[in-house]
Amino acid sequence: MTQSESVEHPLVDSVGDGYVVSFSAAPIVHASEGRTSLISECARAGLRVVFLTPSSSRLTFGMMQLLGATRNKWVVRDSADALTDGLTGRRLDAVSDVLRPGVAVDRADPAGHTTDASARSWLQLTVSVHLQARDETRVGAALAFLTDRVAGTVPAGWGVHEPAGLAWDRDKIDRYVRARMPRETRLHVTGRGDLAFSGVLRVTRSARGLVEETKLLVALDADDAAAAYSISAVPGVFADLAATESVLVGSAFVLRGAADLAVSSELGAPPLPVAMVLGPRAVRDLKIDLPDAAERFGAIRAGRPRIPSIVLPFTREGSGSWQQYLDVAGSFDPADVARALGNGDTREVAHAS
């Protein structure tokens, strides 16, 4: 029996050298219990999973995050049987090619973008905070704060798989996380309101306590002026969060996509940076001079006076925000950046339509 034949799972449709293929024609592909268990079983067997779908299928934000966290892949097949890496847009000759290094489609090329008149702005937030390992510590405060300030609502559901069907209850979530320690816990979160959101909450042990990472994708108002207002408020939201939580690092980007937050394989406009928040440890490790950063980058001092955090807004219109982002990144020593960002998780922004 070969290694590829060693995983018997109902969602395996074919096997290859070091990988399995799982096909779905569902319009929206979730991080379901079955797909999550398939990934876990394959990981234990040293195999990777390629999820194969027609080009009409879209993935949930939670499924995108699961793929990113586990190094598994998504391949789309169009009506002419042409294959494409669903995460990068790279053309493939065979499904197995997605597991080999290759050059992704240049997302900065306007010719490669699709235009969807129904698309709206998405705001993606990624924030890591440090929690002390105490009896009174409870998880989920940063997530609840961000959903209130950015989406104007509270979480509605949570679960270990999608759809997240359990009613939001921080006490139950806290008991679940504690029972799993020291293992990592990853939860899916959903919200309903004027602005829909989808999120992933990840809690891990650290040398000094717990690290709680929140990833949120919010579908902003269809009205451009209202969406612009929500985007412009992000630096202030980060500053207020740093005043109440022990922030490690955080970032915000604007993307474009459908109102239901499902991700298409079609290339959309590239993400634009909105703001970054660096907690006291990152400020220390990057040797940031706060007055100098305020003068050069418009940085906002936040957090506690003695151990300050810093918020870096990227507010130039259009692609100018990328230049601001690069100016900030280029002003630091790469070794210092790696050390500072090592306090949190700075995974790549999710590919969005």
Side-chain angles (χ1 to χ4, degrees), residues 121-125 150 216-220 230-231 234 252-256 261 272 274:
S121 293
W122 287 350
L123 185 62
Q124 180 170 321
L125 305 170
V150 177
L216 286 179
L217 188 64
V218 182
L220 300 181
S230 296
I231 294 167
V234 170
F253 287 80
V254 171
L255 307 95
R256 297 283 292 179
L261 297 173
L272 294 175
V274 174

Side-chain angles (χ1 to χ4, degrees), residues 209-270:
L210 306 176
V211 173
E212 177 184 301
E213 179 200 58
T214 298
K215 281 182 173 285
L216 286 179
L217 188 64
V218 182
L220 300 181
D221 198 292
D223 178 74
D224 289 341
Y229 178 81
S230 296
I231 294 167
S232 67
V234 170
V237 172
F238 277 171
D240 291 344
L241 178 67
T244 60
E245 298 290 331
S246 181
V247 173
L248 297 173
V249 64
S251 63
F253 287 80
V254 171
L255 307 95
R256 297 283 292 179
D260 65 1
L261 297 173
V263 180
S264 167
S265 63
E266 295 289 337
L267 295 182

